[in-house]
Structures are given as structure tokens and as C-alpha cells.
Amino acid sequence: MAITNRSQIEIGACVQVVLKQDQRTGKLTKGIVARILTNSSNHPRGIKVMLEDGLVGRVMSIEN
């Protein structure tokens, strides 16, 4: 289940994202949020972020 509210995500948070090329398989990639790319307060398919390593994907879960 995707994280759909922008307010739930913080810069520096450790998250699991689905990259564009992995949307069909649902493969998750772990990383640290560098930028939040989605401007709206929520998005039904998940908030798009850029990770510190430059990868871009939609947040599926937040790690503790």
C-alpha cells in the first residue's frame, strides 16, 4: 500500500520506493529521501521522491 499523504514523508527518512521501471513487478528499492517531488498534498499512487543516490520512485513504505 502506497504512502499517499505528503505530510507523512520527511527529508532524510528511510523509505521503500517502486521505481518507474519496476512498477509492473512491484520490486521495492530502499533509500533515503533527498527531495519530495510531488507538489500536491496527496497522490493516489504514492508520493514521488528522489533518493540520495538520484533514483526516483513512489513511496510504498517508511522504515523505522
Side-chain angles (χ1 to χ4, degrees), residues 45-63:
R45 286 183 302 250
I47 301 301
K48 190 179 281 187
V49 298
M50 179 180 286
L51 303 178
E52 286 184 341
D53 58 5
L55 296 174
V56 174
R58 295 197 183 273
V59 178
M60 294 293 118
S61 66
I62 300 172
E63 303 280 312

Side-chain angles (χ1 to χ4, degrees), residues 15-60:
V15 296
Q16 297 264 351
V17 301
V18 172
L19 304 176
K20 181 75 172 178
Q21 63 265 27
D22 295 331
Q23 283 180 342
R24 289 185 179 179
T25 63
K27 178 181 171 232
L28 296 176
T29 302
K30 187 175 181 178
I32 297 174
V33 176
R35 282 180 58 203
I36 300 173
L37 302 177
T38 300
N39 289 324
S40 62
S41 61
N42 56 48
H43 193 283
R45 286 183 302 250
I47 301 301
K48 190 179 281 187
V49 298
M50 179 180 286
L51 303 178
E52 286 184 341
D53 58 5
L55 296 174
V56 174
R58 295 197 183 273
V59 178
M60 294 293 118

Side-chain angles (χ1 to χ4, degrees), residues 2-15:
I3 303 297
T4 59
N5 290 320
R6 194 174 192 269
S7 62
Q8 293 176 273
I9 302 168
E10 297 177 358
I11 304 296
C14 187
V15 296

